[in-house]
Amino acid sequence: MQHLMSPLDLSVEELDKLLTLANDIEKNPRKYAHACEGKKLATCFYEPSTRTRLSFEAAMLNLGGSVLGFSSADSSSAAKGESVSDTIRVISCYADICAMRHPKEGAPLVASEKSTIPVINAGDGGHQHPTQTLTDLLTIRSLKGRLHNLNIGLCGDLKFGRTVHSLIHALIRYPNIKFTLISPEELRVPSYIREDVLHKNNVPFCEVERLEDAMADLDILYMTRVQKERFFNEDDYVRMKDFYILNKKKMSLAKEDMIVMHPLPRVNEISVEVDDDPRAAYFQQAQYGVYVRMALILTLLEVEVC
Ligand code: CP
């Protein structure tokens, strides 16, 4: 039985197979419409979510399966003090696969150790968000045609943004990847990412503060929200929250074929005037999230569709 805690749980070959399956699902949705009939997905979300929870549920429904779960810790027995380990033992009696989001780093991993069904990390604190990474990789591969030879600008909250951490881990496995890390001093990537991941693997990167200085060279601009829920101090959040606002003027500095991605939700970091730019890919990215989660459910449940 396989779980998914980190994008690195999948080899590059396994990832390639998963993304190819997701593209086939996109092209031939009817072929997969009954693939998970009789199977149940549990979504155990101890933290708020729109895209991840609902795209998981849409994915299972698209496969002909059923869904059950809870969308906040308050509406589960976690509010009475139940541990994640006990909860997953019980959920294992009710469902065939579980997607779990939790504010504590490592909670889905703890659950996976007690589970008798596959557990998917749907985001754990500021740590990892592997299914967002799968979504991002599918978006990049589908829209840019490759996962190599790319200069990727990561902009915003690079300290707390778990989608950024997971994406860096995943992309360094492809040739000729360069990162441009765009953030204020206080929100730079954690030192373990800079030292243990980028330096250690000789991945080229530069760190800049001004978005305008980076735009012209980017193949992909990956914007992120300042993660309000991870700040200890409201004043620090207020000072940082509008540090970057991508608008039409800044987009005019970018390549014609650059794409703008964002895991969403956005707050102010991308002006709505950018939404009509053909390079704005963030809503398409959310759609790719359904296809890739369908592919992941099929893979972890070992369902073959001929
Ligand atoms: N991208 C993402 O994780 O969005 P939600 O928090 O809405 O799930």
Side-chain angles (χ1 to χ4, degrees):
M1 185 181 54
Q2 197 183 356
H3 306 287
L4 185 80
M5 293 298 122
S6 149
L8 301 185
D9 292 349
L10 298 168
S11 66
V12 170
E13 291 72 29
E14 286 170 329
L15 205 47
D16 191 52
K17 199 172 155 195
L18 187 93
L19 299 183
T20 300
L21 176 59
N23 283 137
D24 193 56
I25 290 168
E26 178 188 6
K27 287 192 198 87
N28 306 293
R30 289 172 58 158
K31 188 171 134 188
Y32 297 89
H34 303 285
C36 283
E37 256 172 20
K39 304 274 188 198
K40 293 192 270 306
L41 165 77
T43 50
C44 299
F45 276 58
Y46 295 83
E47 242 194 2
S49 167
T50 296
R51 268 145 300 276
T52 311
R53 187 172 65 85
L54 297 182
S55 65
F56 260 117
E57 295 187 359
M60 191 48 144
L61 295 172
N62 289 346
L63 292 167
S66 314
V67 297
L68 66 161
F70 54 86
S71 58
S72 72
D74 287 349
S75 63
S76 78
S77 284
K80 301 175 206 158
E82 186 171 54
S83 68
V84 162
S85 300
D86 283 0
T87 300
I88 195 67
R89 284 183 185 205
V90 173
I91 297 291
S92 295
C93 305
Y94 303 155
D96 301 284
I97 186 165
C98 173
M100 179 179 287
R101 171 170 287 188
H102 203 287
K104 280 199 188 138
E105 299 186 4
L109 179 65
V110 169
S112 72
E113 287 162 357
K114 299 289 179 195
S115 180
T116 58
I117 59 173
V119 176
I120 301 166
N121 177 3
D124 61 330
H127 186 219
Q128 296 263 0
H129 192 346
T131 62
Q132 182 63 49
T133 302
L134 300 181
T135 302
D136 298 343
L137 295 178
L138 180 64
T139 306
I140 295 170
R141 202 179 81 155
S142 302
L143 300 184
K144 299 297 291 180
R146 63 187 191 279
L147 288 170
H148 56 276
N149 292 345
L150 292 165
N151 182 0
I152 299 139
L154 302 168
C155 178
D157 185 350
L158 309 188
K159 180 178 180 183
F160 296 115
R162 59 192 172 197
T163 62
V164 164
H165 304 162
S166 286
L167 188 57
I168 291 174
H169 274 105
L171 279 171
I172 61 163
R173 299 192 288 179
Y174 298 90
N176 200 17
I177 290 292
K178 180 186 168 192
F179 292 106
T180 303
L181 306 175
I182 309 153
S183 71
E185 179 67 27
E186 287 107 313
L187 297 179
R188 289 171 68 191
V189 285
S191 57
Y192 79 89
I193 298 272
R194 192 178 304 104
E195 302 307 327
D196 301 348
V197 182
L198 296 171
H199 277 311
K200 200 169 169 180
N201 291 286
N202 295 317
V203 179
F205 72 97
C206 62
E207 295 187 274
V208 299
E209 191 165 287
R210 277 169 43 89
L211 182 53
E212 294 88 328
D213 295 340
M215 286 298 273
D217 295 325
L218 302 178
D219 300 305
I220 295 165
L221 173 60
Y222 191 99
M223 296 295 293
T224 62
R225 168 181 74 89
V226 175
Q227 303 272 308
K228 183 179 183 185
E229 63 276 33
R230 315 267 176 241
F231 276 76
F232 292 115
N233 179 331
E234 174 82 14
D235 291 345
D236 286 345
Y237 168 70
V238 169
R239 205 162 37 79
M240 290 288 122
K241 72 182 174 70
D242 292 332
F243 202 92
Y244 297 107
I245 299 179
L246 181 66
N247 55 20
K248 273 189 176 173
K249 193 170 167 211
K250 291 190 186 106
M251 285 297 286
S252 71
L253 304 171
K255 291 181 190 173
E256 289 283 300
D257 65 346
M258 186 195 79
I259 58 168
V260 183
M261 297 174 62
H262 191 310
L264 304 178
R266 75 168 148 192
V267 186
N268 290 327
E269 59 279 358
I270 302 179
S271 166
V272 289
E273 69 184 19
V274 176
D275 294 357
D276 295 332
D277 190 305
R279 294 168 291 184
Y282 29 92
F283 292 116
Q284 228 175 328
Q285 189 180 349
Q287 175 67 66
Y288 281 121
V290 178
Y291 303 135
V292 90
R293 289 183 174 98
M294 289 171 74
L296 181 65
I297 290 168
L298 290 173
T299 302
L300 296 184
L301 289 179
E302 301 178 15
V303 175
E304 299 266 354
V305 178
C306 303

